[in-house]
Amino acid sequence: MRIVILTGAGISAESGLGTFRDKDGLWTRYDLSEVATPQGFARNPALVHAFYNARRANALDAAPNAAHRALARLQGARAGVTLVTQNVDDLHERGGAREVIHMHGQITRALCAACDHRWEAPRVMGRDDACPACGERMTRPDIVWFGEYPYHMDRIAEALAACDLFVAIGTSGEVYPAAGFVEEAAGFGAETLEINLEPSAPGRFDRVITGPATRSVPAWVAEVLGG
Ligand code: APR
């Protein structure tokens, strides 16, 4: 059985990393147009770097939780599991997952706006950090901002077209193109499952498992692996 799993901020919530749209979510405290758009970065790169330096420190200081580890167990136990994440933290990798597809980029990586070179980000980064490849001082976080095209969309489209089961974990399903993956997979005949605190959109998925990810994801993985 080929499975595509899409995770969102909810899978890292119990590791202490905030979500975006829940009560006290990031976008209730920051104006995303200022810190998560190319225009915001052009207007005030120092503000944007300060925002991501704080999120990077939180992500680096956080630990993967039982949900991250359960998905790594699933990947290790059976072939045909594609793990796509909207998250920019590296908790899936530190939880043991392999080949994680980061469609919104990674907060642990830096990107040169002049030559597109990418490298491991320092804990604290600024726009004037010189690019190791071209030397230009136009460094930005390797994050896909609103209005920019997500990464790895070809690979994701291929996996959605071939999967038997699509699972969305801890995502509100508010941001496209990720929000459309459930319909895309269903259109190719896949079963669809949502694992969330509560249903994000009743009727959108064939099956919904509710509850905190650190409980519901290991339970679901045990069900798939037969115990
Ligand atoms: N266990 C399971 N689900 C949880 C938990 C938890 N402990 N805590 C929160 N959730 C769920 C919420 O119910 C909600 O559906 O996680 C989801 C968080 O939704 P958002 O904050 O919108 O995060 P996400 O869906 O990942 O946002 C998608 O939006 O701002 C952009 O680029 C950003 O990647 C992000 C994208």
Side-chain angles (χ1 to χ4, degrees):
M1 174 168 66
R2 287 154 303 183
I3 305 175
V4 172
I5 299 169
L6 171 72
T7 62
I11 201 168
S12 297
E14 291 162 89
S15 292
L17 298 187
T19 61
F20 294 93
R21 296 172 183 81
D22 290 328
K23 199 171 63 51
D24 309 331
L26 221 50
W27 298 146
T28 65
R29 290 179 282 123
Y30 290 90
D31 175 351
L32 67 83
S33 68
E34 285 185 0
V35 293
T37 62
Q39 298 77 3
F41 183 67
R43 267 196 307 275
N44 190 341
L47 172 74
V48 173
H49 272 298
F51 174 74
Y52 284 98
N53 285 336
R55 287 187 64 203
R56 185 176 305 106
N58 290 342
L60 293 174
D61 294 346
N65 63 48
H68 298 108
R69 287 193 296 275
L71 294 186
R73 178 172 163 239
L74 178 64
Q75 269 189 323
R78 61 181 309 155
V81 177
T82 302
L83 178 53
V84 182
T85 187
Q86 300 171 92
N87 299 341
V88 295
D89 62 60
D90 62 346
L91 295 182
H92 279 302
E93 289 86 348
R94 285 197 276 138
R98 297 186 312 278
E99 286 186 54
V100 182
I101 299 176
H102 283 272
M103 64 182 290
H104 289 166
Q106 295 171 259
I107 202 156
T108 54
R109 297 177 65 70
L111 167 64
C112 174
C115 76
D116 251 7
H117 178 66
R118 287 171 172 81
W119 67 98
E120 199 60 25
R123 189 176 171 97
V124 178
M125 190 158 76
R127 181 211 168 100
D128 294 337
D129 287 16
C131 168
C134 75
E136 282 292 335
R137 295 180 185 282
M138 293 174 71
T139 299
R140 58 171 277 186
D142 186 15
I143 301 279
V144 176
W145 283 327
F146 288 94
E148 295 183 321
Y149 199 67
Y151 294 157
H152 311 300
M153 287 305 290
D154 294 349
R155 264 178 78 192
I156 295 169
E158 236 174 80
L160 290 171
C163 76
D164 305 294
L165 174 63
F166 173 76
V167 188
I169 301 175
T171 179
S172 61
E174 301 259 332
V175 174
Y176 284 82
F181 290 172
V182 55
E183 280 83 17
E184 204 169 329
F188 285 107
E191 288 291 306
T192 60
L193 164 65
E194 174 172 45
I195 302 179
N196 202 319
L197 275 183
E198 65 268 334
S200 65
R204 205 159 178 213
F205 290 81
D206 297 320
R207 182 185 174 200
V208 179
I209 299 174
T210 53
T214 52
R215 275 226 309 278
S216 48
V217 177
W220 171 68
V221 168
E223 179 192 301
V224 172
L225 296 181

